[in-house]
Amino acid sequence: MQVQNYINGRWVAARKGHTFESLNPATGEVLAEVAKSTTDDVQDAVAAAKAAYPKWRALPAPKRGEILFRIGELLVQRKEELSRLVTTEMGKVLAEGRGDVQEAIDMTYYMAAEGRRSFGQTVPSELPNKFAMSIRDSVGVVAAITPWNFPVAIPSWKITAALIMGNTVVFKPASDTPALAAAFVRIFEEAGLPAGVLNLITGPGGEVGNALVDHDDVKVISFTGSTEAGVAVTKRGADKLKRISLELGGKNAVIVMDDADLDLAVEGIVWSAFGTSGQRCTAASRVIVHRAVRQQLADKLVARINKLRLGDGLLATTDVGPVINSKQLDRIHSYMARAKKDGNEILTGGEPYKGQGAGGGFFYSPTLIGSVKRNDVVAQEEIFGPVTAMIEVGSLDEAIEVNNDTAFGLSSSIYTANVNNAFKAMRDVTTGILYVNAGTIGAEVHLPFGGTRGTGNGHREGGQTVLDTFSEWKTLYIDYSGKLQRAQIDEI
Ligand code: NAD
């Protein structure tokens, strides 16, 4: 398979003709040969997006919405084909690949309908014969820079929201999932999106990312990825006061209280910690458990984890797929030595998986680490693999304190049968998302998504909140009194 850039409505090779490879992480085989773009390609893509902007902005929002509806319908038709490609290029099991595509369908329909809403406000003026309102306007060219772990859903969050607000887009996907990016963009093309409104450039985050951030004509950077890269983007864009929306890492926890339904908690933890092989920004990489039920929960978890079957995500028998690449596999494994150094105990897993079904792929055994203290490395750093760390506490107050005590603030969960505990957690947990009696994953597109501290910079994707990233508020005053009226000035 060949993946090219999509610039001004045409599929083109990178100007310098260079390419790189995208692999199937379940087999290690080459899946696609991909355009390796450089600054020149970024210039072309931004120029195309800039040229297409005035006409797209002038198209009435409900008409923009009609194109998004068509995209939603094509996504429904292609769901199975795209989902299989998600599994083949990114590795998550097919059921989750379908979930990835479904999220994009949900988001596309949601934003399509926004074409007939995009509410502003009308409020009374303090002066007679004067009308006051606020409306949203577009901003210009948006750069959408995305990670590989939700290769269809995350681009949809950014691109559909940017487009419905009247912006044009340059999309830079992660280098591990470029074939999916191209398949997604093809659907926009087929739905009749005008040339230049959405452009795709593939290539390394350093050069291509920097060129996008530096470009004077790129007005908004919507970035999802690691905290390290998010900070680099922010620093680089600061001199030009770029509008930058960041969705970064997480170190999410499930709190299990002594009154919790433990079997329900086990299901929630396994799904949240090992779904997508733990490669979700909202993955449960900590379990904060009340002392009274620690041993019981640990035993149940180990028994359940040991039943998980690893393998190619296309097989119906597979529960957990591979991790994204060999570098990530090594990185995950490096945490085991660090855990042992901190005196932690590997309760199960802790090794690359080379058993049945592993083939040439990049598999890591689902891992539960016990005897973890709140400030140990595995309790603080984002591992981004099928690894979760169990921390014992003695009370709800302590659980919440430990939950809030990391550099990240994305998602939390509490399992409790006590309504007072639940409400206390809702009040005092300081992450952007909290689930009660459900795991840390499962966001729905029509609610705000994002986190506090090192997880971002205050923006939220999803919900109505995402529109703020991609629009400029314009406040309008219309004076129909026919005379000078002065706000805030006393009339004598
Ligand atoms: P990454 O930061 O390595 O890459 C993300 C994207 O940024 C890629 O397209 C990459 O090419 C590009 N990039 C890298 N360096 C850049 C730079 N200096 N300037 C501009 N662009 C650059 O992240 P990843 O490994 O692809 O994804 C995993 C990370 O993403 C994890 O930390 C995870 O928590 C995070 N994530 C967060 C959310 C969220 O919504 N909070 C969702 C998914 C993933």
Side-chain angles (χ1 to χ4, degrees), residues 161-217:
L163 293 183
I164 200 66
M165 288 289 104
N167 307 287
T168 54
V169 178
V170 177
F171 169 29
K172 205 305 266 172
S175 295
D176 285 297
T177 50
L180 280 157
F184 188 51
V185 167
R186 261 184 212 289
I187 285 178
F188 287 67
E189 181 187 27
E190 275 180 51
L193 192 75
V197 172
L198 172 62
N199 305 277
L200 169 73
I201 38 171
T202 52
E207 180 168 0
V208 174
N210 286 346
L212 280 170
V213 177
D214 289 347
H215 203 301
D216 284 332
D217 291 330

Side-chain angles (χ1 to χ4, degrees), residues 246-247 409-411 431-433 447-452 455-456 459-461:
L246 301 174
E247 294 294 338
L410 185 50
S411 183
T431 51
I433 305 167
L447 286 107
F449 181 90
T452 58
T455 294
H459 288 273
R460 291 290 184 272
E461 297 205 308

Side-chain angles (χ1 to χ4, degrees), residues 119-290:
F119 295 134
Q121 290 187 320
T122 57
V123 291
S125 164
E126 63 193 43
L127 292 168
N129 300 319
K130 190 175 170 192
F131 188 83
M133 63 182 169
S134 60
I135 59 168
R136 289 184 188 274
D137 198 355
S138 54
V139 193
V141 176
V142 169
I145 304 179
T146 58
W148 43 265
N149 64 336
F150 277 84
V152 183
I154 291 178
S156 81
W157 289 0
K158 299 180 187 308
I159 294 169
T160 62
L163 293 183
I164 200 66
M165 288 289 104
N167 307 287
T168 54
V169 178
V170 177
F171 169 29
K172 205 305 266 172
S175 295
D176 285 297
T177 50
L180 280 157
F184 188 51
V185 167
R186 261 184 212 289
I187 285 178
F188 287 67
E189 181 187 27
E190 275 180 51
L193 192 75
V197 172
L198 172 62
N199 305 277
L200 169 73
I201 38 171
T202 52
E207 180 168 0
V208 174
N210 286 346
L212 280 170
V213 177
D214 289 347
H215 203 301
D216 284 332
D217 291 330
V218 173
K219 304 298 179 194
V220 181
I221 294 132
S222 176
F223 176 90
T224 299
S226 61
T227 298
E228 195 189 1
V231 170
V233 167
T234 306
K235 285 185 178 162
R236 215 175 164 97
D239 283 345
K240 293 184 175 170
L241 290 178
K242 287 287 167 88
R243 182 187 296 196
I244 299 171
S245 161
L246 301 174
E247 294 294 338
L248 309 174
K251 190 68 195 174
N252 317 289
V254 175
I255 298 172
V256 183
M257 292 305 297
D258 49 352
D259 51 45
D261 176 338
L262 289 190
D263 292 323
L264 187 66
V266 166
E267 289 308 308
I269 293 165
V270 168
W271 172 230
S272 306
F274 307 117
T276 322
S277 304
Q279 303 168 113
R280 288 183 182 230
C281 50
T282 51
S285 57
R286 295 181 297 159
V287 176
I288 302 170
V289 60
H290 193 283

